[in-house]
Structure formats: C-alpha cells, structure tokens
Amino acid sequence: MVGDGINDAPALAAASVGVAMGAGTDVARESADVVLIGNDLLKFPETLRIARWTRRIIWQNFAGTIAVDTVGIVLAAMGALNPTLAAFIHVASEMTFILNSARLLPSARTIEVRKQPWLPLGTLTKSRLTRSA
C-alpha cells in the first residue's frame, strides 16, 4: 500500500508493506513501514530494486557464513584443522562477505546521475556526463 494522507493511515498500518510519501501527513508516515524521503513516486521501483538486491546479498552472505562455519566445525571435529588455520579461514571468509556487501555502495556514476535530475536518459558517456540539447 502506498499513501500519503490521513485516510491512508489505517490501510498503511494493515498492509503487508506500507509505504508513505515523505511530504505526507505525520499519521501516514508513522503508520507506514517505509517512508520515501521525496515525493517522486517514479523512484519507488528503484527503491524496490535496491531492496531486493540488498536482500539477495544478505542471503548470499548468510549462506556463505553457514557453509564456511559448518565445514570448519566438521574439519575441527576430525582434527584436521588447527586453531591458527581456523582463525585465518574465518577472517578471510568474513573479508569476502564484507567485500560482497560493498557491492551495495553506489558508484560515483550513480551518484552523479542522481545529483542531476534534469539529465535525460541516454546522455551518459564513459568519460563524463553530458546534457543533450
């Protein structure tokens, strides 16, 4: 449910996911699960895309952590893993998961495009941003 007014507040609270617009009423913002900062509803699909991408990376990290820890526990129980090697493997795997999460950080190009909303689509070049006439 997406809404911004007082009359939307009950539906926002009852919905599986309630989304309020930033300039909406205080009641709507308090009732919603997510509050969009601006009023541009066209950015909502981008918000969903980012949320799905974030959840996918979280699950990748979770599954990787469980797999590495399970293998480590089995090897340690069999006596094939000494504590120093176990610590190294643990730190290396955590660094891998941190770098995997770093993919969520926006690139400089993405930030530049968001700073210039007047920029029409299709005007990006590899070297710099240009404005078409």
Side-chain angles (χ1 to χ4, degrees), residues 3 11-12 16 19 35 37-38 45 49 59 91 94 103 124 128-129:
L12 288 169
S16 296
V19 180
V35 178
I37 300 298
R49 183 188 59 79
W59 276 108
V91 170
E94 292 304 317
R103 295 186 306 149
L124 293 177
R128 63 187 180 94
L129 296 171

mmCIF file of all heavy atoms in Angstrom, residues 3 11-12 16 19 35 37-38 45 49 59 91 94 103 124 128-129:
data_model
loop_
_atom_site.group_PDB
_atom_site.id
_atom_site.type_symbol
_atom_site.label_atom_id
_atom_site.label_comp_id
_atom_site.label_asym_id
_atom_site.label_seq_id
_atom_site.Cartn_x
_atom_site.Cartn_y
_atom_site.Cartn_z
ATOM 1 N N GLY A 3 0.632 5.433 0.229
ATOM 2 C CA GLY A 3 -0.287 6.519 0.530
ATOM 3 C C GLY A 3 0.415 7.673 1.208
ATOM 4 O O GLY A 3 1.581 7.574 1.596
ATOM 5 N N ALA A 11 -4.944 1.836 6.260
ATOM 6 C CA ALA A 11 -4.549 0.870 5.239
ATOM 7 C C ALA A 11 -3.035 0.655 5.253
ATOM 8 O O ALA A 11 -2.565 -0.470 5.060
ATOM 9 C CB ALA A 11 -4.996 1.344 3.862
ATOM 10 N N LEU A 12 -2.273 1.713 5.503
ATOM 11 C CA LEU A 12 -0.816 1.579 5.590
ATOM 12 C C LEU A 12 -0.427 0.690 6.762
ATOM 13 O O LEU A 12 0.492 -0.126 6.661
ATOM 14 C CB LEU A 12 -0.155 2.953 5.734
ATOM 15 C CG LEU A 12 -0.153 3.836 4.492
ATOM 16 C CD1 LEU A 12 0.290 5.250 4.847
ATOM 17 C CD2 LEU A 12 0.744 3.256 3.420
ATOM 18 N N SER A 16 0.691 -5.436 4.222
ATOM 19 C CA SER A 16 1.909 -6.219 4.428
ATOM 20 C C SER A 16 3.119 -5.301 4.464
ATOM 21 O O SER A 16 3.999 -5.441 5.304
ATOM 22 C CB SER A 16 2.082 -7.244 3.306
ATOM 23 O OG SER A 16 1.036 -8.172 3.338
ATOM 24 N N VAL A 19 3.903 1.991 2.487
ATOM 25 C CA VAL A 19 4.887 2.975 2.028
ATOM 26 C C VAL A 19 4.223 4.341 2.031
ATOM 27 O O VAL A 19 3.197 4.546 1.381
ATOM 28 C CB VAL A 19 5.396 2.640 0.609
ATOM 29 C CG1 VAL A 19 6.408 3.678 0.147
ATOM 30 C CG2 VAL A 19 6.000 1.252 0.571
ATOM 31 N N VAL A 35 9.167 4.948 4.578
ATOM 32 C CA VAL A 35 8.843 6.327 4.236
ATOM 33 C C VAL A 35 9.822 6.779 3.166
ATOM 34 O O VAL A 35 11.039 6.768 3.385
ATOM 35 C CB VAL A 35 8.929 7.269 5.462
ATOM 36 C CG1 VAL A 35 8.644 8.703 5.062
ATOM 37 C CG2 VAL A 35 7.978 6.816 6.543
ATOM 38 N N ILE A 37 11.708 9.527 1.133
ATOM 39 C CA ILE A 37 12.132 10.871 1.502
ATOM 40 C C ILE A 37 11.455 11.923 0.632
ATOM 41 O O ILE A 37 10.943 12.907 1.117
ATOM 42 C CB ILE A 37 13.664 11.002 1.397
ATOM 43 C CG1 ILE A 37 14.344 10.009 2.325
ATOM 44 C CG2 ILE A 37 14.116 12.422 1.704
ATOM 45 C CD1 ILE A 37 14.033 10.198 3.793
ATOM 46 N N GLY A 38 11.438 11.736 -0.661
ATOM 47 C CA GLY A 38 10.849 12.720 -1.568
ATOM 48 C C GLY A 38 9.418 12.383 -1.908
ATOM 49 O O GLY A 38 8.799 11.489 -1.332
ATOM 50 N N PRO A 45 9.978 2.206 -7.905
ATOM 51 C CA PRO A 45 10.541 0.968 -8.476
ATOM 52 C C PRO A 45 12.041 0.823 -8.201
ATOM 53 O O PRO A 45 12.521 -0.274 -7.955
ATOM 54 C CB PRO A 45 10.279 1.107 -9.973
ATOM 55 C CG PRO A 45 9.111 2.022 -10.062
ATOM 56 C CD PRO A 45 9.258 2.978 -8.915
ATOM 57 N N ARG A 49 13.913 -2.240 -6.299
ATOM 58 C CA ARG A 49 15.062 -2.922 -6.893
ATOM 59 C C ARG A 49 16.229 -2.965 -5.914
ATOM 60 O O ARG A 49 16.850 -4.010 -5.715
ATOM 61 C CB ARG A 49 15.487 -2.217 -8.184
ATOM 62 C CG ARG A 49 16.630 -2.899 -8.912
ATOM 63 C CD ARG A 49 17.141 -2.070 -10.075
ATOM 64 N NE ARG A 49 17.609 -0.763 -9.684
ATOM 65 C CZ ARG A 49 18.809 -0.514 -9.115
ATOM 66 N NH1 ARG A 49 19.622 -1.509 -8.862
ATOM 67 N NH2 ARG A 49 19.167 0.709 -8.800
ATOM 68 N N TRP A 59 21.372 -12.688 1.894
ATOM 69 C CA TRP A 59 21.210 -14.145 1.881
ATOM 70 C C TRP A 59 22.476 -14.834 1.383
ATOM 71 O O TRP A 59 22.831 -15.924 1.859
ATOM 72 C CB TRP A 59 19.999 -14.563 1.052
ATOM 73 C CG TRP A 59 18.738 -14.484 1.846
ATOM 74 C CD1 TRP A 59 17.734 -13.569 1.705
ATOM 75 C CD2 TRP A 59 18.347 -15.326 2.931
ATOM 76 N NE1 TRP A 59 16.759 -13.804 2.640
ATOM 77 C CE2 TRP A 59 17.102 -14.868 3.406
ATOM 78 C CE3 TRP A 59 18.928 -16.417 3.556
ATOM 79 C CZ2 TRP A 59 16.440 -15.473 4.465
ATOM 80 C CZ3 TRP A 59 18.266 -17.020 4.618
ATOM 81 C CH2 TRP A 59 17.039 -16.537 5.052
ATOM 82 N N VAL A 91 38.667 -15.264 9.214
ATOM 83 C CA VAL A 91 38.892 -13.861 8.858
ATOM 84 C C VAL A 91 38.814 -13.676 7.349
ATOM 85 O O VAL A 91 38.219 -12.703 6.863
ATOM 86 C CB VAL A 91 40.253 -13.377 9.423
ATOM 87 C CG1 VAL A 91 40.624 -12.021 8.861
ATOM 88 C CG2 VAL A 91 40.204 -13.329 10.937
ATOM 89 N N GLU A 94 35.166 -13.778 6.282
ATOM 90 C CA GLU A 94 34.446 -12.562 6.684
ATOM 91 C C GLU A 94 34.822 -11.384 5.790
ATOM 92 O O GLU A 94 33.967 -10.568 5.444
ATOM 93 C CB GLU A 94 34.707 -12.236 8.157
ATOM 94 C CG GLU A 94 34.101 -13.237 9.117
ATOM 95 C CD GLU A 94 32.601 -13.411 8.934
ATOM 96 O OE1 GLU A 94 31.895 -12.409 8.765
ATOM 97 O OE2 GLU A 94 32.141 -14.571 8.956
ATOM 98 N N ARG A 103 29.340 -4.238 -2.599
ATOM 99 C CA ARG A 103 28.692 -4.046 -3.908
ATOM 100 C C ARG A 103 27.435 -3.191 -3.796
ATOM 101 O O ARG A 103 26.956 -2.647 -4.780
ATOM 102 C CB ARG A 103 28.318 -5.393 -4.527
ATOM 103 C CG ARG A 103 29.508 -6.238 -4.858
ATOM 104 C CD ARG A 103 29.136 -7.505 -5.590
ATOM 105 N NE ARG A 103 28.128 -8.277 -4.885
ATOM 106 C CZ ARG A 103 27.224 -9.044 -5.498
ATOM 107 N NH1 ARG A 103 27.194 -9.126 -6.804
ATOM 108 N NH2 ARG A 103 26.362 -9.733 -4.789
ATOM 109 N N LEU A 124 24.539 9.610 -21.136
ATOM 110 C CA LEU A 124 25.760 9.271 -20.431
ATOM 111 C C LEU A 124 26.832 8.825 -21.407
ATOM 112 O O LEU A 124 26.581 8.082 -22.346
ATOM 113 C CB LEU A 124 25.508 8.146 -19.433
ATOM 114 C CG LEU A 124 24.610 8.473 -18.265
ATOM 115 C CD1 LEU A 124 24.406 7.233 -17.428
ATOM 116 C CD2 LEU A 124 25.204 9.572 -17.419
ATOM 117 N N ARG A 128 32.345 11.262 -19.261
ATOM 118 C CA ARG A 128 31.675 12.259 -18.432
ATOM 119 C C ARG A 128 30.199 12.310 -18.771
ATOM 120 O O ARG A 128 29.750 11.720 -19.736
ATOM 121 C CB ARG A 128 32.306 13.632 -18.602
ATOM 122 C CG ARG A 128 32.175 14.181 -20.017
ATOM 123 C CD ARG A 128 32.971 15.478 -20.139
ATOM 124 N NE ARG A 128 32.851 15.985 -21.476
ATOM 125 C CZ ARG A 128 31.941 16.873 -21.853
ATOM 126 N NH1 ARG A 128 31.096 17.357 -20.979
ATOM 127 N NH2 ARG A 128 31.874 17.299 -23.088
ATOM 128 N N LEU A 129 29.469 13.050 -17.969
ATOM 129 C CA LEU A 129 28.053 13.243 -18.218
ATOM 130 C C LEU A 129 27.865 14.453 -19.107
ATOM 131 O O LEU A 129 28.524 15.472 -18.942
ATOM 132 C CB LEU A 129 27.323 13.468 -16.892
ATOM 133 C CG LEU A 129 27.348 12.306 -15.918
ATOM 134 C CD1 LEU A 129 26.797 12.744 -14.578
ATOM 135 C CD2 LEU A 129 26.562 11.162 -16.463
#
